[in-house]
Amino acid sequence: MESDKIEKLLEKYFEATATVAEEETLRTYFSQESVATHLEQYAPMFQYFSNAKKERFTKQVPLKPKRNYFKWASVAAVAVLLVGLYINRPPMVDSSDPWEGQYTEAEIESAKEALAMLGMNFQKGTEQLYHLEEFQKTTNKFLIKE
């Protein structure tokens, strides 16, 4: 009869509907040496809960927080470094031509001509590929009869 009551209390406990008094009944039942054999699997869990309830925190809790000035000093050092980098940066050159000081006007013009010729030759090559594609389509019409 007692094991039926304990089983009902266990069911309520696992459904989280047991009261504090019912949980205490379960703890006292499982702390005994005579536990029903089919309920022995729950005994270590409730014994652990009983032992954990007796544990106490014994370390000293510091009431005054430690001031960690090193952390703030590192933040300040990074801020000073960033401000120094910002101040010592080279001035921005506002010119329309970025190659102005490096190349002469003749060199720039010859490079433009070379790039223009390269663009024209590239365009001719792509036109040839278009003709090749058309040739492939018409060849496929004769080879693959539908």
Side-chain angles (χ1 to χ4, degrees):
M1 180 65 185
E2 186 177 324
S3 66
D4 291 338
K5 180 182 173 187
I6 295 298
E7 286 176 6
K8 288 179 184 176
L9 286 177
L10 273 174
E11 191 174 314
K12 286 178 72 175
Y13 179 79
F14 288 125
E15 290 175 358
T17 58
T19 63
V20 175
E22 291 170 339
E23 289 180 15
E24 188 62 37
T25 305
L26 285 172
R27 270 192 228 103
T28 55
Y29 175 76
F30 284 110
S31 65
Q32 299 172 2
E33 301 228 356
S34 60
V35 177
T37 55
H38 67 284
L39 297 175
E40 285 180 350
Q41 61 184 353
Y42 302 111
M45 180 176 67
F46 284 101
Q47 289 170 357
Y48 170 77
F49 291 150
S50 297
N51 292 337
K53 196 173 188 181
K54 294 175 189 173
E55 288 182 5
R56 297 285 177 240
F57 185 73
T58 58
K59 284 190 174 181
Q60 186 72 15
V61 177
L63 298 177
K64 224 185 239 187
K66 291 183 180 180
R67 303 269 181 189
N68 195 356
Y69 294 111
F70 182 70
K71 192 182 340 179
W72 290 109
S74 63
V75 170
V78 168
V80 167
L81 178 70
L82 290 176
V83 168
L85 289 175
Y86 179 75
I87 290 172
N88 290 331
R89 69 187 166 116
M92 297 292 288
V93 177
D94 188 26
S95 68
S96 60
D97 191 9
W99 308 108
E100 185 176 2
Q102 295 179 0
Y103 299 102
T104 63
E105 198 63 40
E107 290 174 329
I108 293 173
E109 288 302 318
S110 69
K112 285 181 181 178
E113 287 177 22
L115 288 174
M117 281 186 7
L118 179 69
M120 287 189 315
N121 288 333
F122 187 74
Q123 186 66 29
K124 287 179 185 176
T126 55
E127 287 175 8
Q128 297 297 328
L129 287 176
Y130 176 73
H131 294 304
L132 183 64
E133 184 179 326
E134 288 297 319
F135 177 75
Q136 183 73 27
K137 284 180 186 176
T138 55
T139 306
N140 286 340
K141 284 182 184 177
F142 290 112
L143 294 178
I144 303 170
K145 295 181 180 180
E146 297 177 3

